Amino acid sequence: MSHQGSVSHESPSPSLRLGYACVNHALGNEGRSDRTCRLANATPERLEELSQSNLKGLRRVLAWNAQNDFRVFRMSSDLIPFASHPETQWGWREALAAELRQVGHDAHNYGMRLTMHPGQYTVLNSSKPNVVTSAIAELSYHADLMDLMGLPLSSKIILHVGGVYGDKHRAKRQFRESFADLPDNVQSRLVLENDERNYGAEDVIELCSALEVPMIFDDLHHRAYAGEPPSQTLLADILETWDNQVDGRPKLHFSSQRPQARAGAHADSVDAEEFRRFVETLPTTEVDVMLEAKAKENALFDLVRDLIASSR
DNA sequence: AGGTGTCAAGTATTA
DNA sequence: TAATACTTGACACCT
């Protein structure tokens, strides 16, 4: 198993690729792309300054990733602070168009897949209409950002299903109805992820099949929800939701349980043996795996090192 | 410079 | 009723 070797965006490497989320430790402040401010002092000038700074930081991180041959990265949703907030509309789409195109160009040249994962406040199936309205605005921000960057449709926006509200069947129907109201550019990038409490893998497969969107499988969430590792059949069914020609290769989330912590809490690093077993359960290694570990890029370095060491 | 209360937003669980 | 956790601490004000 190796994520190394040259990777071109035209013909993806046949081997598994690893990615990490939002924060790069090696670059420190130079690589920050999630600077923000308080709503109370969010002037258009301040927001543009922060956004420009974040985009610069992101470009440095992408260059660093490419140098280290990491071709999968999750961008911070704070890239453009308050981008979807109704009180802070400052025309970021127009003001940042040139810079966004530049960053997207970098990603393209590096053959790097970029994704995003909006926060827990983005709830499409809420019973409160204003919550749904702001969720749609937030998702539009994500999709517009990716469009302005010129990213391919394999750059996905990952979302959880949301709340249950005491009636999961109803809540699922609400999700499907809200999905139908989404702009096309959101629909074509949205993917759904299983969570650890409300919507298990089976629930999400059902929704994904109905909506014809791919599913992100999160291994740690699944183990917290189901109390056992995924079966080969389950993973095969999940990978079936991906149309590789359109959506790119299937993407999965993997992390290890933080010891002595709540079930589902992310550990600092990834256990190589657990990871190896997980990969062996997959029907193919032609996938991208996002490691959700506190140690960020160092978890990737360590995992690759451990895998190489144990394969000798 | 360092300490710390507070921060856009939702939901479900636990105390 | 309030604190907590999520994917994640950082901002902003105070001394």
Side-chain angles (χ1 to χ4, degrees), chain A residues 2-8 11-17 249 285-288:
Chain A
S2 166
H3 70 286
Q4 290 173 4
S6 76
V7 178
S8 116
S11 64
S13 156
S15 63
L16 188 147
R17 305 191 302 182
R249 47 165 67 185
T285 55
E286 203 167 320
V287 296
D288 290 340

Side-chain angles (χ1 to χ4, degrees), chain A residues 92-93 136-137 139-148 151-153 155-157 179 181-191:
Chain A
W92 63 267
R93 290 167 175 81
I136 293 175
L139 291 168
S140 293
Y141 148 59
H142 284 77
D144 291 352
L145 181 87
M146 289 179 154
D147 286 355
L148 286 164
L151 300 179
L153 290 180
S155 277
K156 296 300 185 189
I157 301 166
F179 181 89
D181 290 338
L182 290 170
D184 286 348
N185 70 336
V186 176
Q187 288 195 2
S188 57
R189 291 190 191 273
L190 200 71
V191 297

Side-chain angles (χ1 to χ4, degrees), chain A residues 3-4 18 70 299-309:
Chain A
H3 70 286
Q4 290 173 4
L18 296 175
F70 294 140
L300 275 73
F301 282 135
D302 291 349
L303 175 61
V304 171
R305 184 201 58 211
D306 293 350
L307 289 169
I308 290 169

Side-chain angles (χ1 to χ4, degrees), chain A residues 4 41 59 71 83 91 101 159 168 216 236-237 253 271 304:
Chain A
Q4 290 173 4
N41 40 30
R59 291 189 78 182
R71 308 288 166 177
R101 217 168 23 245
L159 191 69
K168 194 186 269 192
I216 296 261
D237 287 349
H253 291 177
D271 185 279
V304 171

